[in-house]
Amino acid sequence: MAGCETVSGEAMATFAGDVVVVTGAAMGIGEATAMGFAALGAKVACLDLDEAAARQTAERAMAVHAGCVAMGLACDVADEAAGCGALERVVEAFGGLHVLINNAGITRDRTALKLASGDFRAVLDVNLTGTFLMAQAAATFMKTQRYGRIINTSSINARGKFGQANYAASKAGVIGLTRTLAIEWARYGITVNAVAPGFVRTAMTAAIPEPVKDEAITKIPVGRIAEAEEIARVHRFFADRHSAYITGQVLVVDGGRTLV
Ligand code: NAP
């Protein structure tokens, strides 16, 4: 199918006929993921807090990949009504919902004794509760199709990270959530998996001072920071129709960082 060749190394993968929703699709990993699915024939719905930016991703996907169908919608994943409403619009426009990439996430870093309860809750609301609410809304549709792929986003910092009590708690929560939903929804043909990235070059990590980045790279066996596309590839792996026997798994993509 047209566009397959643009995603190197995945000559046979295709998502033609699949409707893929990506949250936090305005930039970073979400944008790369939306572009990758568009390249492989999916109908892609780009959701983000920023509607104009979500539409831009969709427009770029359609401009780059001839024949691609994409839409951009405003959606705060932490807002239950907004999430359900957005997915309803996607199903109405595209006729189904096969893949949900729960990618939206935020940080509000502060050491624990200085961490305001509002910043603790805000991160849990988006990263964990938002992931649950979007998964629940998506599974309601997917159950009727007896098919679905839900891919959540954890982080290697789920292990604990100085200055990230809120973020680490949220990303550790995503692992328990992923495994539980996998158990409950397998009977509906829905798989639920998660990716746990290490250090990825996006806006989220852009503010980290260069000396800190350089120091971090010395601890990564592969010797560099990941590109967003390298996480997007994992999304496509879990979303593949042939990945039906893989569920409840968390795939660490960190260049070996957690091995050392
Ligand atoms: P990013 O560049 O900051 O992009 C995140 C996107 O999510 C932004 O467009 C953001 O919109 C959007 N977003 C934030 N809150 C949202 C909400 N409530 N509802 C909908 N969209 C929302 O982040 P990234 O680096 O690509 O990270 C993507 C995911 O990977 C996150 O879950 C992150 O925790 C995880 N991750 C990243 C890394 C890394 O090194 N980058 C490592 C491990 C895990 P606004 O800009 O308008 O806020």
Side-chain angles (χ1 to χ4, degrees):
M1 94 146 283
C4 284
E5 307 76 14
T6 61
V7 180
S8 63
E10 284 186 341
M12 296 312 291
T14 176
F15 293 94
D18 280 355
V19 176
V20 178
V21 171
V22 183
T23 71
M27 58 186 182
I29 295 167
E31 182 188 14
T33 294
M35 294 299 290
F37 279 111
L40 294 169
K43 291 179 184 168
V44 182
C46 304
L47 275 46
D48 204 279
L49 280 180
D50 181 343
E51 182 170 15
R55 284 192 179 162
Q56 272 172 21
T57 301
E59 279 158 18
R60 200 159 78 80
M62 288 189 284
V64 173
H65 303 296
C68 164
V69 180
M71 68 194 290
L73 292 173
C75 175
D76 176 354
V77 297
D79 177 339
E80 187 169 3
C84 290
L87 294 190
E88 274 169 20
R89 285 181 63 188
V90 172
V91 171
E92 201 175 282
F94 288 164
L97 171 54
H98 306 96
V99 180
L100 169 67
I101 308 294
N102 254 325
N103 164 77
I106 60 169
T107 53
R108 296 276 188 278
D109 294 359
R110 204 90 162 106
T111 51
L113 287 176
K114 293 178 184 160
L115 182 58
S117 60
D119 282 340
F120 186 86
R121 289 199 179 94
V123 170
L124 269 288
D125 274 356
V126 175
N127 297 5
L128 182 57
T129 308
T131 296
F132 167 67
L133 293 174
M134 293 302 293
Q136 187 185 52
T140 305
F141 290 115
M142 290 170 175
K143 182 182 168 188
T144 64
Q145 303 168 156
R146 313 297 291 183
Y147 179 83
R149 299 273 181 269
I150 296 173
I151 296 105
N152 297 328
T153 307
S154 183
S155 163
I156 60 168
N157 292 354
R159 300 175 307 157
K161 176 77 177 175
F162 189 93
Q164 290 198 319
N166 47 3
Y167 188 78
S170 73
K171 296 301 189 179
V174 165
I175 295 172
L177 175 68
T178 298
R179 291 181 177 153
T180 302
L181 300 183
I183 294 165
E184 292 192 10
W185 296 344
R187 74 193 78 169
Y188 307 128
I190 302 169
T191 63
V192 188
N193 293 288
V195 58
F199 204 154
V200 188
R201 191 190 313 279
T202 68
M204 186 177 271
T205 51
I208 297 170
E210 284 306 319
V212 177
K213 275 186 198 161
D214 292 343
E215 167 64 16
I217 290 169
T218 65
K219 295 179 182 150
I220 302 171
V222 164
R224 62 175 176 82
I225 294 171
E227 301 300 331
E229 166 56 21
E230 294 178 291
I231 309 305
R233 293 183 70 86
V234 178
H235 289 152
R236 297 194 293 273
F237 166 69
F238 281 134
D240 195 303
R241 287 191 175 250
H242 294 104
S243 296
Y245 212 62
I246 303 167
T247 197
Q249 301 305 302
V250 181
L251 185 50
V252 173
V253 186
D254 69 348
R257 173 65 186 89
T258 50
L259 299 174
V260 295

